[in-house]
Amino acid sequence: MIKLGVNIDHIATIREARKTYEPDPVQVVGLVERAGADGITVHLREDRRHIQDRDVTLIRQLVSTKMNLEMALSDEIIEFAYNLVPEQITLVPEKREEVTTEGGLDCIQHISTIQPVIVLMHKKNIEVSLFIEPDLRQVEAAKEVGADRIEFHTGSFANAFYQSRGRHTARLREPWQRERERLFLAAHKAQTLHLNVSAGHGLNYQNISELLSMPALDEVNIGHAIIARSVFQGLPQAVSDMKALLMQNKERDIH
Ligand code: PXP
């Protein structure tokens, strides 16, 4: 079964737009879990543009499924995560000027920085995931550095899928199919190396079905699409709609 981690950063984005106390991301944890989420994901950014330290501390106490803390390779955040002890951390690249996490972590370049963080987190049994591009060399480097899991950045796939909407000829549909193939190849490589596989970024109610048969995929992290749908339908419905789409994979396995 593919598990659903719900990224609740955007609840805090709305709060921070007014620098006020509502809506409170802490309050949605139980709601999201009762609606079927298998985990709560938050990104404590160095610039604290949405999620704040107080949110993370309280969410840690409330989560009854799995807490996945996305974070950059910054000493301050590493210390914070070590003391927090979430079930999982996901190391991501971070640039202050970006709107969202724009690409994967370069494990080859940062191998000597990543390795000690993994060793440190393992001392507290924290699972370490690396957010990488679907690139075979990056998958190999993630294995070499000692990661437990990788999360494929699905941004290029999601963008190509979005640009193909309304186009029905094979030629025009090619870009997203190529991106999908790249993801599947990288996932297959991860499977042979016994790495756990997640996917995230830009996944939504339209494109998710294309990834359900990705080798070894057992977790997706989805934020924007779920929070966007919740504006119209409420958060529990938005979560359970996504969960139902992910369950189609299970049904496919059975038949
Ligand atoms: N996974 C990671 C590592 C991310 O950085 C993000 C974006 O914060 C997501 C998943 C969720 O992406 P989206 O909000 O596009 O669903």
Side-chain angles (χ1 to χ4, degrees):
M1 193 184 78
I2 300 174
K3 292 187 172 162
L4 173 62
V6 176
N7 184 314
I8 59 172
D9 294 347
H10 284 342
I11 305 285
T13 302
I14 299 171
R15 178 190 62 194
E16 296 306 314
R18 283 293 180 94
K19 297 277 174 225
T20 179
Y21 54 85
E22 61 184 3
D24 187 344
V26 176
Q27 283 187 335
V28 308
V29 169
L31 202 75
V32 168
E33 289 184 326
R34 283 192 298 279
D38 302 289
I40 301 291
T41 296
V42 287
H43 185 172
L44 185 65
R45 293 188 74 103
E46 283 185 88
D47 62 9
R48 307 297 200 271
R49 68 171 69 157
H50 38 53
I51 290 289
Q52 307 295 313
D53 299 36
R54 161 267 183 205
D55 302 331
V56 179
T57 305
L58 291 173
I59 289 167
R60 166 66 294 185
Q61 290 167 32
L62 287 174
V63 166
S64 60
T65 51
K66 162 178 163 178
M67 181 178 192
N68 172 25
L69 179 68
E70 295 173 359
M71 50 180 272
L73 284 161
S74 121
D75 289 345
E76 177 229 351
I77 309 271
I78 291 165
E79 192 185 337
F80 186 93
Y82 185 73
N83 292 327
L84 185 79
V85 199
E87 279 78 16
Q88 181 182 314
I89 61 159
T90 301
L91 294 175
V92 303
E94 211 176 279
K95 291 188 224 125
R96 276 179 190 254
E97 62 281 9
E98 70 190 357
V99 175
T100 180
T101 315
E102 280 163 4
L105 191 66
D106 187 342
C107 297
I108 301 164
Q109 200 192 331
H110 295 110
I111 208 153
S112 59
T113 328
I114 296 170
Q115 205 150 32
V117 178
I118 296 180
V119 170
L120 182 73
M121 296 300 162
H122 281 174
K123 284 188 185 158
K124 292 221 178 150
N125 292 323
I126 301 169
E127 187 182 7
V128 182
S129 179
L130 304 180
F131 190 43
I132 60 171
E133 291 295 321
D135 176 286
L136 299 183
R137 286 165 314 155
Q138 292 294 339
V139 175
E140 282 164 0
K143 179 68 185 177
E144 205 180 311
V145 82
D148 306 292
R149 171 177 291 278
I150 49 175
E151 176 171 342
F152 286 122
H153 193 304
T154 48
S156 301
F157 159 77
N159 285 341
F161 188 90
Y162 178 67
Q163 276 152 18
S164 77
R165 70 201 190 288
R167 297 174 176 170
H168 299 296
T169 68
R171 190 177 60 80
L172 290 169
R173 285 165 61 94
E174 267 173 15
W176 75 259
Q177 283 167 346
R178 272 203 305 272
E179 289 298 337
R180 180 179 183 270
E181 211 168 293
R182 204 158 76 92
L183 280 163
F184 277 48
L185 271 173
H188 178 70
K189 179 79 188 170
Q191 189 175 39
T192 62
L193 295 174
H194 305 292
L195 281 164
N196 295 314
V197 176
S198 303
H201 200 95
L203 298 180
N204 61 28
Y205 299 87
Q206 289 76 45
N207 62 27
I208 191 69
S209 60
E210 297 299 334
L211 299 189
L212 295 182
S213 56
M214 186 194 290
L217 181 70
D218 70 354
E219 179 186 276
V220 289
N221 287 298
I222 305 181
H224 186 85
I226 291 177
I227 304 303
R229 181 171 285 214
S230 78
V231 172
F232 301 102
Q233 300 193 348
L235 198 45
Q237 189 63 51
V239 172
S240 64
D241 285 356
M242 183 56 79
K243 190 73 189 168
L245 291 175
L246 293 172
M247 297 292 279
Q248 284 174 5
N249 177 49
K250 197 176 167 198
E251 281 159 22
R252 228 181 259 179
D253 289 346
I254 293 165
H255 298 302

